Amino acid sequence: MASCMDIIHSGHFNAMRQAKQLGDILVMGVIADDEIRRCKGPPVMSQDERAIMIEACKWVDEVIMGVEYYVTPEILNRVGCDFVAHGDDLAIRKDTGTDAYEDVRNAGMLKIIKRTEGVSTTEMVGKMLLMTTSEPISESGQSAN
Protein backbone atom coordinates (compact mmCIF):
# COMPACT_ATOMS: atom_id res chain seq x y z
CA MET A 1 0.00 0.00 0.00
CA ALA A 2 1.40 3.42 -0.96
CA SER A 3 -0.06 6.48 0.64
CA CYS A 4 0.41 10.09 1.63
CA MET A 5 -1.08 9.44 5.11
CA ASP A 6 -0.89 13.17 5.80
CA ILE A 7 -2.51 14.05 9.16
CA ILE A 8 -3.14 10.37 9.84
CA HIS A 9 -6.68 9.51 11.03
CA SER A 10 -9.03 6.60 11.67
CA GLY A 11 -9.67 6.10 7.95
CA HIS A 12 -5.96 5.54 7.37
CA PHE A 13 -5.76 3.05 10.24
CA ASN A 14 -8.83 1.21 8.91
CA ALA A 15 -7.21 1.00 5.46
CA MET A 16 -4.00 -0.42 6.93
CA ARG A 17 -6.00 -2.95 9.00
CA GLN A 18 -7.88 -4.12 5.91
CA ALA A 19 -4.73 -4.25 3.79
CA LYS A 20 -2.96 -6.39 6.40
CA GLN A 21 -5.81 -8.93 6.19
CA LEU A 22 -5.08 -9.42 2.48
CA GLY A 23 -1.65 -11.00 2.96
CA ASP A 24 1.07 -12.08 5.34
CA ILE A 25 3.15 -8.89 5.36
CA LEU A 26 1.95 -5.31 5.03
CA VAL A 27 4.52 -3.12 3.31
CA MET A 28 3.63 0.57 3.43
CA GLY A 29 5.14 2.95 0.94
CA VAL A 30 5.50 6.52 2.19
CA ILE A 31 5.13 8.79 -0.81
CA ALA A 32 7.94 11.33 -1.15
CA ASP A 33 7.18 14.95 -0.30
CA ASP A 34 8.16 16.13 -3.81
CA GLU A 35 5.83 13.54 -5.36
CA ILE A 36 2.92 14.71 -3.19
CA ARG A 37 3.61 18.35 -4.11
CA ARG A 38 3.74 17.43 -7.81
CA CYS A 39 0.61 15.27 -7.85
CA LYS A 40 -1.63 16.57 -5.08
CA GLY A 41 -0.32 19.72 -3.40
CA PRO A 42 1.92 20.44 -0.42
CA PRO A 43 1.80 17.92 2.44
CA VAL A 44 1.16 19.18 5.97
CA MET A 45 3.50 16.63 7.57
CA SER A 46 6.95 15.81 6.22
CA GLN A 47 7.83 12.40 4.80
CA ASP A 48 9.77 11.57 7.98
CA GLU A 49 6.87 12.59 10.24
CA ARG A 50 4.43 10.52 8.19
CA ALA A 51 6.78 7.52 8.27
CA ILE A 52 7.03 7.66 12.08
CA MET A 53 3.24 7.57 12.35
CA ILE A 54 2.95 4.67 9.89
CA GLU A 55 5.74 2.69 11.58
CA ALA A 56 3.82 2.96 14.87
CA CYS A 57 0.80 1.18 13.40
CA LYS A 58 0.48 -2.40 14.67
CA TRP A 59 -0.58 -3.74 11.26
CA VAL A 60 2.50 -2.44 9.41
CA ASP A 61 5.43 -4.83 8.99
CA GLU A 62 7.71 -2.75 6.78
CA VAL A 63 7.95 0.86 5.61
CA ILE A 64 9.57 1.97 2.35
CA MET A 65 10.44 5.65 2.18
CA GLY A 66 10.07 7.97 -0.77
CA VAL A 67 7.93 5.89 -3.11
CA GLU A 68 6.31 7.24 -6.24
CA TYR A 69 2.77 8.66 -6.16
CA TYR A 70 1.42 6.46 -8.96
CA VAL A 71 2.03 2.74 -8.37
CA THR A 72 2.96 0.57 -11.35
CA PRO A 73 3.63 -3.16 -11.73
CA GLU A 74 7.32 -2.28 -12.17
CA ILE A 75 7.40 -0.53 -8.79
CA LEU A 76 5.67 -3.46 -7.08
CA ASN A 77 8.16 -5.89 -8.63
CA ARG A 78 11.10 -3.67 -7.64
CA VAL A 79 10.06 -3.60 -3.96
CA GLY A 80 8.99 -7.26 -3.90
CA CYS A 81 5.23 -6.79 -3.45
CA ASP A 82 2.63 -9.06 -5.05
CA PHE A 83 -0.10 -6.42 -5.13
CA VAL A 84 -1.16 -2.96 -3.98
CA ALA A 85 -4.28 -2.26 -1.91
CA HIS A 86 -6.44 0.81 -2.47
CA GLY A 87 -9.81 2.06 -1.29
CA ASP A 88 -12.96 1.53 -3.33
CA ASP A 89 -12.98 5.20 -4.33
CA LEU A 90 -11.64 5.71 -7.85
CA ALA A 91 -8.32 7.53 -7.85
CA ILE A 92 -7.90 9.84 -10.83
CA ARG A 93 -4.51 10.98 -12.08
CA LYS A 94 -4.20 14.76 -11.94
CA ASP A 95 -1.97 14.85 -15.03
CA THR A 96 -4.06 12.66 -17.38
CA GLY A 97 -7.53 12.44 -15.82
CA THR A 98 -7.38 8.62 -16.04
CA ASP A 99 -7.59 5.82 -13.46
CA ALA A 100 -4.43 6.04 -11.35
CA TYR A 101 -4.44 2.26 -10.79
CA GLU A 102 -5.21 1.17 -14.35
CA ASP A 103 -1.81 -0.47 -14.94
CA VAL A 104 -1.83 -2.49 -11.71
CA ARG A 105 -5.53 -3.31 -12.19
CA ASN A 106 -4.86 -4.67 -15.70
CA ALA A 107 -1.88 -6.67 -14.37
CA GLY A 108 -4.06 -8.29 -11.69
CA MET A 109 -2.00 -6.59 -8.97
CA LEU A 110 -4.71 -4.43 -7.36
CA LYS A 111 -6.82 -5.42 -4.35
CA ILE A 112 -9.68 -3.18 -3.30
CA ILE A 113 -10.48 -2.37 0.32
CA LYS A 114 -13.49 -0.49 1.71
CA ARG A 115 -12.92 3.23 2.16
CA THR A 116 -14.00 4.66 5.51
CA GLU A 117 -16.89 6.98 4.68
CA GLY A 118 -17.03 10.45 6.20
CA VAL A 119 -13.36 10.60 7.19
CA SER A 120 -10.72 12.33 5.09
CA THR A 121 -7.73 14.58 5.57
CA THR A 122 -9.40 17.19 3.34
CA GLU A 123 -12.48 17.23 5.61
CA MET A 124 -10.30 17.43 8.72
CA VAL A 125 -8.36 20.41 7.34
CA GLY A 126 -11.66 22.08 6.39
CA LYS A 127 -12.96 21.67 9.94
CA MET A 128 -9.72 23.09 11.34
CA LEU A 129 -10.03 26.11 9.09
CA LEU A 130 -13.64 26.60 10.21
CA MET A 131 -12.46 26.50 13.80
CA THR A 132 -10.35 29.59 13.16
CA THR A 133 -13.45 31.67 12.44
CA SER A 134 -15.20 33.68 15.12
CA GLU A 135 -18.49 31.78 14.61
CA PRO A 136 -19.26 28.85 16.93
CA ILE A 137 -18.99 25.45 15.25
CA SER A 138 -21.52 22.67 15.89
CA GLU A 139 -20.62 19.01 16.53
CA SER A 140 -21.11 18.25 12.82
CA GLY A 141 -18.51 20.84 11.88
CA GLN A 142 -21.07 23.31 10.55
CA SER A 143 -21.43 26.93 11.63
CA ALA A 144 -23.95 27.12 14.48
CA ASN A 145 -25.33 30.45 13.20
Side-chain angles (χ1 to χ4, degrees), residues 68 70-81 103-104 107 109:
E68 295 89 339
Y70 299 116
V71 180
T72 65
E74 293 76 24
I75 293 169
L76 292 175
N77 291 329
R78 183 182 76 219
V79 298
C81 291
D103 291 343
V104 289
M109 300 174 86

Side-chain angles (χ1 to χ4, degrees), residues 80-95:
C81 291
D82 296 328
F83 60 88
V84 62
H86 188 271
D88 56 7
D89 54 324
L90 183 63
I92 302 296
R93 289 183 64 117
K94 187 177 173 182
D95 57 347

Side-chain angles (χ1 to χ4, degrees), residues 5-8 33 36 43-47 49-50 53:
M5 299 263 174
D6 204 10
I7 309 180
I8 201 163
D33 290 342
I36 294 173
V44 174
M45 297 172 67
S46 73
Q47 175 181 303
E49 292 170 320
R50 292 180 285 116
M53 296 294 290

Side-chain angles (χ1 to χ4, degrees), residues 2-142:
S3 184
C4 298
M5 299 263 174
D6 204 10
I7 309 180
I8 201 163
H9 53 69
S10 61
H12 293 132
F13 288 114
N14 190 34
M16 289 185 280
R17 179 190 57 77
Q18 291 179 72
K20 174 66 175 183
Q21 293 173 343
L22 297 173
D24 298 324
I25 297 172
L26 176 57
V27 177
M28 287 296 301
V30 180
I31 298 172
D33 290 342
D34 288 343
E35 278 285 288
I36 294 173
R37 271 188 219 84
R38 183 177 68 81
C39 298
K40 191 173 185 176
V44 174
M45 297 172 67
S46 73
Q47 175 181 303
D48 291 337
E49 292 170 320
R50 292 180 285 116
I52 289 168
M53 296 294 290
I54 293 168
E55 287 171 344
C57 179
K58 69 181 183 179
W59 297 293
V60 175
D61 298 297
E62 183 182 340
V63 174
I64 299 174
M65 298 291 288
V67 300
E68 295 89 339
Y69 193 86
Y70 299 116
V71 180
T72 65
E74 293 76 24
I75 293 169
L76 292 175
N77 291 329
R78 183 182 76 219
V79 298
C81 291
D82 296 328
F83 60 88
V84 62
H86 188 271
D88 56 7
D89 54 324
L90 183 63
I92 302 296
R93 289 183 64 117
K94 187 177 173 182
D95 57 347
T96 65
T98 60
D99 177 1
Y101 288 86
E102 182 176 12
D103 291 343
V104 289
R105 185 186 314 275
N106 291 342
M109 300 174 86
L110 175 67
K111 294 200 178 185
I112 301 297
I113 55 177
K114 180 79 177 116
R115 182 181 182 279
T116 304
E117 293 297 324
V119 175
S120 75
T121 302
T122 302
E123 288 176 10
M124 288 178 67
V125 169
K127 286 180 184 179
M128 287 182 229
L129 290 172
L130 282 174
M131 295 168 89
T132 64
T133 67
S134 59
E135 293 183 42
I137 305 297
S138 70
E139 289 289 320
S140 67
Q142 302 298 315

